[in-house]
Amino acid sequence: NLKWETTTQTNVGADFGFLNDRIELTIDWYKKTTDDLLLSADLAPSAGYPTATKNVGSVQNSGWEFTLNTTNIKKRNFTWTTNFNISFNKNKVVALTENQLAMLTNARFDQNYTSANYIAKIGYPIGMMYGYIYEGTYKYDDFEGTVGSYTLKSGVPYYSAETATQPGYPKYADLNGDGIIDSNDQTIIGRGDPVHTGGFTNNFNFYGFDISIFFQWSYGNDILNANKLFFENGTKKKDLNMFATYANRWTPDNPTSDIPVVSNSASNNVFSSRLIEDGSYLRLKTVSVGYTIPAHITKKAHISKARIYVSAQNLYTWTKYTGYDPEVSVKNSALTPGLDFSSYPRAMSMNMGVNITF
């Protein structure tokens, strides 16, 4: 009984022109609902199978998109034009399998980390990051006793998989207040989709020279920096080099640090807000400079047009993200956006060439 998914979409747009079209504005709004998405639905034990693939999922996408083109200066030997675009796109889970309110997804990247780290929840965007809220490290004030015999004070919650929490271990929020930090305390800790994205281009022409400068950006998205699980974590990985930040980890001589101590602590290896970073960025994406040789020179060589150019890509990125590249997602799935683990950054590149038209 499986069938294709179905989509219903509404688009509304408007184009405006001012000052003899020296200012052009395009506005688009859309709303798209996709139903009958294939999902693994849970079955009753009497069916003989735990799950079955059914057309039960539903997702809604909507957004505003704006494009502005302007001719700022237009003279015989000098022109300056600008293009600006910005998009506010969002999505929402409308339905999952029968009677299901949320679906967990594991973006597996290493055999040691198999717990779910994304959630699709009805009423929320697809692929929200899921885990514990990190509160730093356990400090001496959380304990009674002395060196070698530390025990947590009454009322201080502990991670369920550990029997002897020690100073410097990771500390997570006990959301349900039962004194034990376990899967019931996991919650949404980040979003992989941005609030808005866009681009900004300026083009200049001056006595045969042409210059194009293009910026792009993303704002409001988070990145799950899974690299920290390996390179800012001393658990059973003493043969690996660490990030430079790990030099500031918790030690008896540095007891105020919120970077966990070197230990075999199970709580070191869970997904938490410690791994979530702001992925917003502004990137100088492309710069191109060219020169068109005057026609009276090229005609002598029976050439209609000749242009020499040099261009460069990915020149510089402004971002607070501590990884190599904020424009990253090693799992190309709507359910698992914004995961960074050993991804290769976009390289800066330069090229030059000649365009000749006969």
Side-chain angles (χ1 to χ4, degrees), residues 142-158:
D142 295 319
F143 296 87
E144 296 174 340
T146 58
V147 178
S149 61
Y150 287 114
T151 58
L152 284 172
K153 292 180 179 178
S154 176
V156 178
Y158 65 93

Side-chain angles (χ1 to χ4, degrees), residues 287-306:
V287 174
S288 176
V289 179
Y291 177 70
T292 301
I293 300 174
H296 69 272
I297 297 177
T298 57
K299 285 182 178 179
K300 295 179 181 179
H302 304 287
I303 296 174
S304 175
K305 183 178 180 180

Side-chain angles (χ1 to χ4, degrees), residues 150-152 158-166 169 266:
Y150 287 114
T151 58
L152 284 172
Y158 65 93
Y159 184 62
S160 61
E162 292 174 348
T163 57
T165 302
Q166 296 297 302
Y169 279 20

Side-chain angles (χ1 to χ4, degrees), residues 32 40 63 86 98 128 160 173 186 208 210 213 215 231 252 269 300 306 323 343 358:
K32 181 173 71 172
S40 294
I86 185 170
E98 293 95 331
M128 302 291 281
S160 61
Q186 294 185 55
D210 59 90
I213 303 173
F215 291 88
F231 306 114
N269 298 323
K300 295 179 181 179
S343 62
F358 293 96

